[in-house]
Amino acid sequence: MLKRRTYLAALCVAFAVAWALLAIDPHDRSDWLLENVLLVAFAAALLAIHRSLLLSRISYTTIFAFLLLHTIGAHYTYSLVPWQEWIHWLSGGAVAAPTASRNHFDRLVHFFYGLLLAYPVREVFLRVAELRGFWGYFFPLNVTLSTSVLYELAEWAAAEVFGGDLGVAFLGTQGDVWDAQKDMALAGAGATIAMAITAALNYALERDFAMEWIESLRVKHPAPLGEDEIRRLWLARKRRHAPGGAGGDSASTDHPADRSGAAGKPPGKRRPGRDA
């Protein structure tokens, strides 16, 4: 099996070749440029963090697959991708090209956005924020839906700014007034399926799967925050700045949640994550 960095390098080369080929004579060069703004930013971010946060082969493979789909959509514009003709060609003419009132390639890509990217998001949450149990599945779904909302807002803003045929091509509603809502729903459905598959895998392989879920939903610090915590921080600040104050020590000893776990016992170390 290839080393992770070697595998990542191979995927980068494969994607660079595909991107270069699809950059040749796109259907609408202006729309192609708009579609590639986020792609370039996303790819640059992945490369920037790969030394400190090298992801799994599964994550890089799903990211590669999604970016390839997006690159195909950018070449043709999403509303003109000839996927019906491809089905007819791949079947050797045995299957007639499907007919539909709209081109559903954009719907497919929104679905795959959730299906393919929810797991890499989960991996980042598990390794950086150390989320466990319920939260390790909920937050990838949450991020999928929230970023889908942000993308729809970005599409709307771009359509307002550029207007005309470019705005229509980039927005890609194809006359459907519920296009944005359907796109977000499909992304959420894809992420839900991805997290359900991941949960089923972990349930089958991890002995304490149920206990981890229960522990993740247990209240760790029963003392309220909000105005109580603001008052504590304010009083601690006043003591630190008062003549003869105790310095920074008082700020870390006033609140029960700072000194103990939920049961008043010293909090133990987090158990290393063993789930996928």
Side-chain angles (χ1 to χ4, degrees), residues 71-91:
T71 303
I72 293 170
H75 175 82
Y76 291 97
T77 74
Y78 274 92
S79 59
L80 297 175
V81 175
W83 62 274
Q84 299 99 326
E85 287 79 358
W86 293 345
I87 292 177
H88 181 70
W89 177 77
L90 288 172
S91 68

Side-chain angles (χ1 to χ4, degrees), residues 151-171:
Y151 183 76
E152 295 298 335
L153 292 174
E155 278 191 333
W156 170 41
E160 286 286 347
V161 170
F162 295 105
D165 292 338
L166 176 56
V168 171
F170 186 66
L171 198 58

Side-chain angles (χ1 to χ4, degrees), residues 2-234:
L2 291 175
K3 294 181 179 179
R4 286 186 180 85
R5 294 192 189 279
T6 304
Y7 185 76
L8 174 59
L11 286 182
C12 287
V13 171
F15 180 75
V17 171
W19 184 88
L21 291 174
L22 290 168
I24 300 172
D25 193 26
H27 178 78
D28 186 327
R29 179 64 71 180
S30 296
D31 179 68
W32 180 87
L33 289 171
L34 274 179
E35 297 285 4
N36 275 277
V37 169
L38 287 178
L39 185 149
V40 171
F42 182 70
L46 279 178
L47 291 176
I49 67 171
H50 84 278
R51 292 190 180 276
S52 58
L53 184 63
L54 186 65
L55 300 178
S56 64
R57 297 177 187 85
I58 291 176
S59 288
Y60 283 130
T61 302
T62 57
I63 291 170
F64 168 81
F66 172 74
L67 293 183
L68 188 59
L69 287 172
H70 177 72
T71 303
I72 293 170
H75 175 82
Y76 291 97
T77 74
Y78 274 92
S79 59
L80 297 175
V81 175
W83 62 274
Q84 299 99 326
E85 287 79 358
W86 293 345
I87 292 177
H88 181 70
W89 177 77
L90 288 172
S91 68
V95 177
T99 58
S101 58
R102 79 184 309 277
N103 191 311
H104 290 289
F105 186 79
D106 66 323
R107 297 265 197 264
L108 181 72
V109 174
H110 279 280
F111 173 76
F112 275 110
Y113 174 74
L115 186 68
L116 296 175
L117 295 191
Y119 183 82
V121 171
R122 170 177 161 80
E123 183 174 350
V124 171
F125 272 127
L126 262 62
R127 294 173 57 190
V128 177
E130 294 187 322
L131 294 182
R132 293 291 178 263
F134 169 79
W135 307 109
Y137 301 93
F138 171 76
F139 274 95
L141 173 59
N142 185 282
V143 167
T144 299
L145 289 171
S146 60
T147 51
S148 294
V149 171
L150 291 174
Y151 183 76
E152 295 298 335
L153 292 174
E155 278 191 333
W156 170 41
E160 286 286 347
V161 170
F162 295 105
D165 292 338
L166 176 56
V168 171
F170 186 66
L171 198 58
T173 60
Q174 300 182 61
D176 187 350
V177 295
W178 301 110
D179 181 72
Q181 290 84 348
K182 291 176 181 178
D183 288 347
M184 291 184 286
L186 284 168
T192 300
I193 293 172
M195 291 299 95
I197 293 172
T198 305
L201 179 64
N202 283 315
Y203 178 77
L205 299 178
E206 190 176 353
R207 184 176 58 184
D208 56 351
F209 178 85
M211 289 302 299
E212 186 171 87
W213 269 63
I214 294 171
E215 176 63 19
S216 71
L217 295 171
R218 181 178 64 84
V219 177
K220 311 303 188 296
H221 302 294
L225 297 176
E227 69 281 357
D228 294 338
E229 184 67 2
I230 292 172
R231 180 176 180 275
R232 182 189 75 82
L233 292 172
W234 174 254

